[in-house]
Amino acid sequence: MSLELGLTTFVELAPEPGRAETITPEQRFKDMLEEVELADQVGLDVFAVGEHHREDYLASAPAVVLAAAAARTESIRLSSAVTVLSSDDPVRVMEQFATLDLLSSGRAEIMAGRGSFIESFPLFGYDLREYDSLFEEKLELLVQLAAGGPVTWSGRHRASLEGQRVFPEPIQRPLPVWVAVGGTPESTVRAGSLNLPMALAIIGGMPERFASYADLHRRAATAAGHAVPPALGLNLHGFIAATSQAAADTFFPPYAGVMSRIGRERGWSGITRDQFDAGLHPRGHLVVGDADQVIEKILFHHELFGNQRYLLQFSVGTVPHRAMLESIEIFGTKVAPVVRAEVARRTAGTDASAP
């Protein structure tokens, strides 16, 4: 059993700490493409782009951004993180990611979720009171479309399909669809019952409290009659530098800026340095430190969850581009080889005994 390692980004657009001016959108995209190109070169497995419809983020069209990344990379898998499916059309999503799959020679994935922000609902004319039913219905349709072939389907929120096919057809069949979950049992059970891999976001608290969701996901798949449980991924905030002090000092200002801004919007206080430092604890949720510390934490989380994928968001806020490149370099060349070797050693016996 292997462990895929990778990065997520929302392509943040905010002033770098200590600088009054904001980077231009054009330059931010150029920086991001250089970052994904390096991630590919150092052997990381996944690069995922989120979707937000706000002035402080550029990634409102993940498939377009990923298509640009496809032209600059060769091996790294390209995923959304997440596609806000509740306020989108599954047919159009399938068309976009099938196109991306062709452009990338079979490297596209969809990570579908309900989204942590709500701006897309009024923007596209959806009722927030139907937040859950929109996602459940559209996920059902997306899964059918991803499987391929003519689709017959009907629901409340879009026109029915009668034996229709979607073009272009992707290379991968089924086109991989992951479900992003923020910690709700209902979403976890839904993903397991549909036999869909789940990406579990851990952005606060002690990771141990999320471990039950991994078990719930597997049990739901088994109860639904699936012989092999679907994959589990973890999404966390993190950053790597040559020293633990440099990692913390570089990451804290942009991280605190974003979390404090979101906190004010949602009625809770900002992040203090003491709270941030608490998250750096070896059993905490922030994967920030030097290579050895990050290796230790990734392996600790793998022991807790038995996950098959591990994605880190380095750019929580606008981290200086040069520091981002250094962090990606360390992740790919120093962290990833050690983590992969240890996970392979741990799971060798399990894989050998599998039917």
Side-chain angles (χ1 to χ4, degrees):
M1 181 186 298
S2 61
L3 178 62
E4 293 181 326
L5 300 169
L7 300 169
T8 66
T9 182
F10 298 138
V11 198
E12 292 77 5
L13 188 67
E16 290 182 14
R19 296 182 62 182
E21 71 276 12
T22 300
I23 189 172
T24 66
E26 181 184 13
Q27 185 60 51
R28 182 66 185 93
F29 272 131
K30 287 181 178 179
D31 290 349
M32 188 225 74
L33 288 173
E34 189 175 353
E35 290 158 12
V36 66
E37 188 172 19
L38 177 60
D40 184 52
Q41 291 170 352
V42 299
L44 294 177
D45 301 296
V46 183
F47 190 86
V49 175
E51 176 187 341
H52 286 314
H53 300 265
R54 298 163 52 99
E55 64 179 349
D56 44 352
Y57 299 101
L58 285 175
S60 62
V64 178
V65 179
L66 292 167
R72 298 275 292 265
T73 58
E74 296 181 359
S75 301
I76 198 165
R77 296 194 65 77
L78 302 168
S79 175
S80 56
V82 301
T83 293
V84 184
L85 193 60
S86 301
S87 58
D88 211 333
D89 180 11
V91 172
R92 192 63 177 139
V93 169
M94 186 62 199
E95 290 176 338
Q96 292 169 344
F97 280 84
T99 302
L100 173 64
D101 202 49
L102 294 168
L103 290 170
S104 65
S105 300
R107 294 185 280 136
E109 295 184 359
I110 302 168
M111 189 187 299
R114 294 181 296 179
S116 59
F117 293 101
I118 61 173
E119 287 82 2
S120 63
F121 285 81
L123 189 63
F124 297 112
Y126 289 98
D127 190 341
L128 270 172
R129 291 173 296 183
E130 296 183 324
Y131 184 82
D132 292 316
S133 65
L134 280 164
F135 181 72
E136 185 173 0
E137 181 178 294
K138 292 184 177 187
L139 180 62
E140 175 190 312
L141 175 55
L142 181 63
V143 170
Q144 290 187 42
L145 294 168
V151 172
T152 296
W153 176 93
S154 63
R156 291 197 305 117
H157 298 292
R158 80 170 314 278
S160 299
L161 299 177
E162 296 291 338
Q164 289 163 275
R165 297 171 64 189
V166 173
F167 298 100
E169 294 188 345
I171 295 171
Q172 301 177 90
R173 280 299 190 192
L175 186 73
V177 175
W178 288 65
V179 176
V181 174
T184 59
E186 296 80 9
S187 297
T188 302
V189 170
R190 181 189 299 121
S193 299
L194 292 172
N195 202 33
L196 294 175
M198 180 176 73
L200 181 60
I202 302 175
I203 59 173
M206 302 300 280
E208 287 100 324
R209 71 186 181 91
F210 291 93
S212 61
Y213 290 96
D215 183 55
L216 183 60
H217 181 231
R218 297 182 186 108
R219 286 192 285 109
T222 300
H226 304 296
V228 179
L232 173 68
L234 304 181
N235 293 2
L236 301 98
H237 293 153
F239 194 75
I240 316 170
T243 68
S244 59
Q245 191 66 51
D249 289 347
T250 301
F251 189 69
F252 172 72
Y255 172 84
V258 167
M259 300 303 285
S260 296
R261 184 172 67 250
I262 294 172
R264 288 191 295 270
E265 293 175 3
R266 298 180 178 181
W268 41 271
S269 60
I271 301 295
T272 67
R273 184 61 189 250
D274 286 344
Q275 290 170 323
F276 173 82
D277 288 344
L280 302 180
H281 187 276
R283 302 178 78 88
H285 65 282
L286 290 174
V287 189
V288 177
D290 61 24
D292 289 339
Q293 290 170 313
V294 170
I295 289 167
E296 180 181 0
K297 188 160 283 190
I298 292 174
L299 291 174
F300 167 62
H301 292 159
H302 183 264
E303 186 176 352
L304 277 177
F305 292 93
N307 51 301
Q308 289 76 43
R309 179 173 285 187
Y310 197 93
L311 304 184
L312 290 175
Q313 184 180 346
F314 286 170
S315 57
V316 185
T318 303
V319 175
H321 179 51
R322 188 170 297 178
M324 281 286 293
L325 294 176
E326 179 184 356
S327 193
I328 293 168
E329 179 86 27
I330 296 171
F331 193 19
T333 61
K334 296 184 178 180
V335 173
V338 176
V339 167
R340 288 172 181 144
E342 176 58 19
V343 169
R345 186 194 66 78
R346 289 180 178 182
T347 59
T350 303
D351 290 348
S353 62

